[in-house]
Amino acid sequence: MTYQKIKVRQLGGAGGAEITGVDLACADDETIAEIHRAMHEFLVVTLPDQPIDDAQLARFTSRLGPFGLEPFVEGDTTHPNVIAVVKEADEVRRLNFGGNWHSDWSFLETPPSYTLLHARELPPFGGDTLFANQYLAFESLSPGMQALLKGMQAVHSARRPYGPNSHNANGGHLRSMKIKTGPEAMAEFVHPVVRTHPATGREALFVNRVYAIRLAEMTEPESAPLLNYLTEHSVRPEFIVRVSWRPNMLTIWDNRVVQHLAVNDYDGYRRELHRTSVLGEVPVLVTQ
Ligand code: SIN
């Protein structure tokens, strides 16, 4: 694909691209359209050197679509649709937010299509974010397994991290983040195990170990062997793109076709990023 308004440099074999030559605070519609195209081609895009505030982050987000929901986390920023992802220097040996492989809010009927994360304060080392390409995860399976999975659905729920008996409910959450827990996290939603991207038409694996709790119409023990295989397979090293943050860098990922993990390797240092999301659609598998 060619781009006229932006410069694009691929980050890794599994995708990811750095986009330069853009000022997000005043980008025209053609530039936004090219960024959107690059997101579909590379799944994860980074835009370095974007010194935007919360209002500008929200304005840019709304050019990609309506805001997504942010259940279980309170914003704590200067804009109602922006949430702060923070770990303080003294929060050592604690689970960090986003520290297990997941796709954002996959337990919702309409999980976000895109998530945007803007770096405000970074540790002197570490604190990278890893992304796993779920097109590759699906395409690398055998034809037999692909056919089997196309007939399956998985039950997603927020209960493990946000339910009444969760680690977060028992004081395990980061003091620096306003996490909500409660019985509403017990709700379940069924999604196809393989979903079709509405713009690219490609098929991607859509299960993750935080929110996909069992396969539909099976018990947890019955589904565990296959689900564990899939969640391990889906984050194999060759599917991964690593994003190393710089101050004022914005990263956008296509949440429908990547999983991500925030690496928790910077105890003793503060890290703060601000996040928005774009409302997605009901995940579907389009069968020809
Ligand atoms: C998240 O899961 O949104 C957090 C990612 C990060 O902090 O790198």
Side-chain angles (χ1 to χ4, degrees):
M1 253 183 236
T2 56
Y3 296 91
Q4 260 76 51
K5 308 285 286 192
I6 58 177
K7 283 206 205 83
V8 176
R9 181 178 70 85
Q10 185 160 349
L11 293 175
E18 179 188 70
I19 296 180
T20 50
V22 177
D23 179 354
L24 282 185
C26 57
D28 61 19
D29 289 346
E30 287 141 312
T31 303
I32 300 291
E34 287 203 354
I35 293 172
H36 218 147
R37 202 144 55 74
M39 282 153 49
H40 291 162
E41 184 176 1
F42 297 100
L43 288 59
V44 180
V45 299
T46 65
L47 293 110
D49 306 321
Q50 303 292 335
I52 51 175
D53 61 19
D54 290 339
Q56 288 168 313
L57 173 61
R59 204 170 313 127
F60 173 68
T61 303
S62 56
R63 295 180 79 180
L64 300 176
F67 289 110
L69 306 171
E70 296 289 356
F72 306 114
V73 183
E74 271 171 36
D76 215 16
T77 70
T78 61
H79 192 283
N81 295 106
V82 178
I83 65 169
V85 175
V86 184
K87 186 178 159 214
E88 297 290 352
D90 62 355
E91 292 179 310
V92 297
R93 281 181 239 110
R94 309 281 291 189
L95 281 182
N96 60 335
F97 181 75
N100 284 311
W101 283 108
H102 65 288
S103 65
D104 286 328
W105 312 142
S106 71
F107 52 84
L108 295 176
E109 181 179 18
T110 53
S113 48
Y114 307 109
T115 306
L116 297 85
L117 201 56
H118 186 246
R120 299 293 167 88
E121 186 175 341
L122 296 171
F125 53 78
D128 293 353
T129 308
L130 308 182
F131 296 89
N133 179 329
Q134 299 304 289
Y135 290 136
L136 295 182
F138 179 66
E139 289 161 6
S140 62
L141 293 166
S142 65
M145 180 61 99
Q146 290 184 355
L148 177 74
L149 296 179
K150 283 183 173 195
M152 300 185 102
Q153 297 195 305
V155 178
H156 294 243
S157 165
R159 73 164 199 224
R160 286 182 185 152
Y162 302 112
N165 297 319
S166 63
H167 178 73
N168 282 322
N170 293 314
H173 58 79
L174 295 176
R175 175 176 42 75
S176 51
M177 291 205 46
K178 295 204 171 132
I179 305 279
K180 295 175 280 186
T181 58
E184 62 278 19
M186 302 306 284
E188 296 185 342
F189 238 99
V190 173
H191 291 307
V193 168
V194 182
R195 71 183 290 185
T196 307
H197 191 289
T200 67
R202 289 176 73 188
E203 289 161 348
L205 203 53
F206 191 62
V207 286
N208 65 85
R209 67 170 68 133
V210 175
Y211 301 126
I213 56 172
R214 65 178 186 278
L215 295 167
E217 295 172 42
M218 289 191 200
T219 64
E220 283 189 39
E222 283 170 341
S223 31
L226 181 54
L227 212 42
N228 289 344
Y229 170 75
L230 291 175
T231 52
E232 273 170 37
H233 163 83
S234 65
V235 296
R236 271 170 35 185
E238 61 271 34
F239 307 151
I240 289 174
V241 178
R242 184 174 197 117
V243 167
S244 295
W245 293 95
R246 298 204 295 272
N248 286 324
M249 187 163 110
L250 177 72
T251 295
I252 312 171
W253 61 91
D254 191 328
N255 187 57
R256 299 166 288 200
V257 292
V258 295
Q259 292 187 56
H260 61 284
L261 175 152
V263 182
N264 192 9
D265 60 351
Y266 55 93
D267 268 2
Y269 295 98
R270 190 173 193 278
R271 179 180 185 269
E272 174 170 355
L273 299 98
H274 284 200
R275 179 177 124 145
T276 55
S277 65
V278 177
L279 186 67
E281 53 286 306
V282 176
V284 289
L285 173 65
V286 180
T287 43
Q288 284 99 20

